[in-house]
Amino acid sequence: MTTAKRKRVPRAERERQMIEVAERVFTERGYGAASMDEIAELVGVSKPMLYEYFHSKEGLLLACIRQSRAALREVTEQATVGAVSAEDALRRGLLAFFVFIRERREAWSLLRHEMALIGTPAADEIEQTRRQQTDLIVAVMGEYFDDELRAEASAEFVVGACERLAIWCERFPDVTPEIATDYAMDMLWSGLSRRAH
C-alpha cells in the first residue's frame, strides 16, 4: 500500500521533497556528516530511490545548490523589473537578496559554506552562483554605465561585499533585510553613482 502511494507522487514533486529535506540535513549536520539513510527516511522513500534520482550524495548536494541558485536568481531578477534608475535597480536587487537569505536560511547556508568543498563540483556550482549574480547585476546596471569593463568590476565588488555583509548579518538577527540594504547602499552607491549616467 505504501508503495502504491509513492508511485502516485509525480517525479518532480518527489524530487522537490528530497531536495528540501536534504537541504535541511546538509545544513544541520554538514555535508560530511549527512547521511543518505537519514535523508531517505525523513522523505519517506527508500535509499535506492534516492540514489536513482541523484546517483550519489554529491549529486544530491549539487541538486540542492542548483535549486538554491535558481531560486536566488528568480527573486533578484524579478525584484529589478520596473526599476526606474540604476540606484533603484541596485536597491531592489539588494533587498531581494537580503530577504532571500533571511527567509531561505538553509539554501543560503549551502551557498556560503564552500570552504569544505574546495576542489569539488559543489565548489564550482557555488562559484556559478556568484557568476550568475554578477551577470545579473551587469545586465540590469550595465545600461547605466558607459564602460562595460568597469560595470563588470563593479558587479564583482557588489557580489563580494554583499556576501560578506550577509555573513555578518547572521550574527545580528535584529539587522533586517531593509537595514542590511541601507548599509550596503550607503557603502556601494556612493562609488557607483559617480560612474552611472
Side-chain angles (χ1 to χ4, degrees):
M1 183 175 278
T2 305
T3 305
K5 285 183 180 177
R6 284 182 189 153
K7 286 182 179 175
R8 283 199 293 269
V9 176
R11 183 179 176 92
E13 174 63 16
R14 178 68 74 199
E15 187 172 314
R16 186 197 62 73
Q17 291 171 350
M18 292 174 176
I19 289 172
E20 189 177 282
V21 170
E23 190 177 86
R24 189 170 67 246
V25 173
F26 287 143
T27 300
E28 290 172 359
R29 308 246 190 283
Y31 174 70
S35 155
M36 292 290 270
D37 288 305
E38 179 185 8
I39 293 168
E41 184 179 338
L42 289 170
V43 176
V45 299
S46 67
K47 186 175 173 182
M49 182 182 273
L50 205 54
Y51 278 97
E52 180 189 328
Y53 276 65
F54 302 104
H55 309 296
S56 65
K57 185 166 84 165
E58 183 176 61
L60 181 53
L61 175 66
L62 295 178
C64 290
I65 293 171
R66 288 177 187 134
Q67 181 171 289
S68 296
R69 181 171 70 225
L72 177 60
R73 173 157 188 115
E74 183 178 355
V75 298
T76 50
E77 199 167 35
Q78 287 301 311
T80 60
V81 172
V84 296
S85 66
E87 182 178 7
D88 185 36
L90 182 60
R91 180 175 293 278
R92 288 174 179 224
L94 291 177
L95 180 58
F97 170 72
F98 289 115
V99 168
F100 177 87
I101 65 167
R102 172 66 66 97
E103 294 179 352
R104 300 278 311 274
R105 289 185 189 277
E106 287 90 3
W108 166 242
S109 180
L110 282 180
L111 292 175
R112 81 171 187 83
H113 284 109
E114 80 274 15
M115 289 309 292
L117 306 170
I118 287 176
T120 70
D124 294 338
E125 287 292 335
I126 291 167
E127 183 53 35
Q128 284 301 312
T129 302
R130 291 188 181 105
R131 179 80 257 158
Q132 163 192 287
Q133 294 308 109
T134 302
D135 291 346
L136 178 59
I137 292 168
V138 170
V140 170
M141 303 275 294
E143 65 182 280
Y144 300 105
F145 289 84
D146 294 322
D147 184 339
E148 185 178 331
L149 198 60
R150 188 178 290 276
E152 284 190 26
S154 298
E156 292 284 352
F157 185 82
V158 169
V159 168
C162 289
E163 187 174 317
R164 291 303 309 169
L165 183 59
I167 292 169
W168 175 83
C169 285
E170 291 177 11
R171 297 182 2 234
F172 299 95
D174 291 341
V175 176
T176 65
E178 292 76 14
I179 292 171
T181 300
D182 285 343
Y183 288 171
M185 287 298 292
D186 286 348
M187 294 300 295
L188 298 170
W189 185 246
S190 60
L192 290 172
S193 62
R194 294 200 305 269
R195 303 291 174 182
H197 58 75

